[in-house]
Amino acid sequence: MRLKEFAAHLGLSQTTVSRALNGYPEVKESTRLMVQEAATRLGYRPNASARRLATGRAGAVGFVLRGSDEFGPHTTEFIAGLGGRLAEEEIDIVLTTVDTYQDELATYRRAAASKKVDAFILHSPKVKDERAELLLDLNIPFVLHGRTEIGRPHAWLDIDNQGAVERATSHLIDLGHRRIALVNGVRGRTFAEHREAGFRAALAARGIPVDPALMANATFTDEVAFRMAQSMLELRPRPTAFLAGSMMTALGIFRAIRQAGHELGKDVSIIAHDDVFPYLNADNMYPTMSTTRSSIRAAGVRIGELILQLFEGKPAGLIHEIWPVDLVLRQSSGPPV
């Protein structure tokens, strides 16, 4: 069915139907809903090239990966959620890989000149993120996965990293732990700073001093976490519990605990952050892993929806979401022996 035939079926002009399908704000909500319902019922899909001409959009969203540490399971899950949602609207993801931070900034400048994408998704922000400021200066829409403190309105979605770690730390303290280690993400990233703030707040509330030897920052890999946990377990007194920044980190810590001759959940406890990987299920581990849990795939889906809200004209400064994080207690956390 062509646009002309679809519009005639509805008794509307082609212009009204096109604008209703493309989210123009001047179309009445009742008309927009009626057109969308009819399109779904009749299986009508607008021609992608014609839609791009009508809207002036490229029909694509940009996503930049920098460095080998970003090619991991967290990114895969996030893009799966994001791409699936955008595909429903026939919007593509343009993926660019770069080696350095300066290369990434250059990518955004080229995008502004070429107009090959309509918006970007920014991820793993720093506390003061230069990328967000540059995109604002270039007038390129974006949604930030995380938060940054740049003092300018922008769209973002984040989880309550500080509250999640504060709650998990408090639970371990309630169990009787005093030597608690935090194996965190890369220093300077907002999520890692928020998690450290939650860790410190929980300890301070119980009058427990912070031991810098029990705090580490690195990328979320099994091998790095193994080496860090191995060093911490050689301390005297050693930690009786770990907070792991991801399930990948937890695997490395678990390996170090086992190699040191300790039993997980009895001699040493772990609470890990779980982004809900389908191939790394905390319920299927032995012993089962206690976690703070929030799906990174669901975050990708939601950020795709927030991008669509930007395209429909919603001000970026009104798009702010903080998701609560569940604490799921299983066998890997117990009182110290």
Side-chain angles (χ1 to χ4, degrees), residues 16-308:
T16 298
V17 170
S18 177
R19 288 176 176 270
L21 290 171
N22 289 302
Y24 280 78
E26 60 266 30
V27 178
K28 291 193 300 184
E29 181 69 6
S30 58
T31 301
R32 186 180 67 81
L33 292 174
M34 183 266 288
V35 171
Q36 289 182 339
E37 185 278 329
T40 300
R41 177 166 42 83
L42 298 172
Y44 173 76
R45 302 289 293 181
N47 178 274
S49 297
R51 183 167 63 180
R52 287 165 188 166
L53 287 172
T55 62
R57 297 187 190 134
V61 170
F63 192 87
V64 181
L65 293 178
R66 170 169 40 88
S68 59
D69 61 307
E70 293 188 348
F71 293 83
H74 299 86
T75 303
T76 302
E77 279 296 291
F78 179 79
I79 291 179
L82 173 68
R85 182 63 185 90
L86 293 180
E88 295 174 11
E89 310 299 326
E90 297 187 357
I91 296 173
D92 299 323
I93 296 177
V94 175
L95 179 64
T96 305
T97 61
V98 298
D99 293 324
T100 69
Y101 192 69
Q102 291 306 316
D103 290 340
E104 183 173 356
L105 297 180
T107 298
Y108 301 133
R109 294 189 181 97
R110 287 197 304 273
S114 67
K115 301 187 185 302
K116 290 183 178 179
V117 299
D118 302 307
F120 276 97
I121 307 298
L122 291 187
H123 59 101
S124 300
K126 296 187 292 186
V127 175
K128 293 190 181 296
D129 202 287
E130 184 181 350
R131 302 171 305 165
E133 295 191 282
L134 176 61
L135 288 176
L136 288 170
D137 292 341
L138 294 172
N139 198 30
I140 299 178
F142 67 92
V143 175
L144 180 64
H145 184 206
R147 276 177 276 177
T148 188
E149 299 170 7
I150 58 174
R152 300 168 67 180
H154 60 280
W156 54 266
L157 178 147
D158 199 6
I159 64 173
D160 184 11
N161 283 292
Q162 180 169 339
V165 173
E166 185 170 356
R167 186 178 174 194
T169 307
S170 296
H171 174 71
L172 290 171
I173 295 171
D174 288 342
L175 290 174
H177 294 278
R178 295 297 180 268
R179 297 282 291 169
I180 303 171
L182 174 65
V183 181
N184 202 353
V186 175
R187 185 169 294 282
R189 301 286 176 89
T190 308
F191 79 89
E193 299 299 321
H194 286 181
R195 290 180 183 184
E196 181 175 323
F199 179 67
R200 289 178 176 274
L203 294 177
R206 307 299 179 88
I208 302 172
V210 174
D211 184 348
L214 296 181
M215 299 174 65
N217 295 82
T219 56
F220 291 147
T221 67
D222 170 282
E223 187 59 33
V224 171
F226 169 74
R227 293 197 302 268
M228 289 179 167
Q230 198 174 39
S231 296
M232 290 177 177
L233 288 167
E234 291 173 356
L235 297 172
R236 294 295 179 266
R238 64 166 175 80
T240 61
F242 283 85
L243 293 164
S246 76
M247 290 294 285
M248 302 304 296
T249 300
L251 291 178
I253 296 172
F254 186 11
R255 186 154 57 94
I257 290 169
R258 191 166 47 194
Q259 187 179 85
H262 303 305
E263 186 175 351
L264 179 62
K266 293 185 178 179
D267 301 319
V268 184
S269 292
I270 295 182
I271 298 179
H273 182 69
D274 180 14
D275 285 304
V276 194
F277 299 141
Y279 42 81
L280 189 56
N281 191 322
D283 281 313
N284 293 338
M285 300 177 73
Y286 182 78
T288 57
M289 186 71 67
S290 294
T291 61
T292 55
R293 182 177 60 188
S294 182
S295 169
I296 196 168
R297 182 183 287 244
V301 172
R302 182 56 181 161
I303 285 180
E305 293 170 349
L306 297 181
I307 280 284
L308 297 175

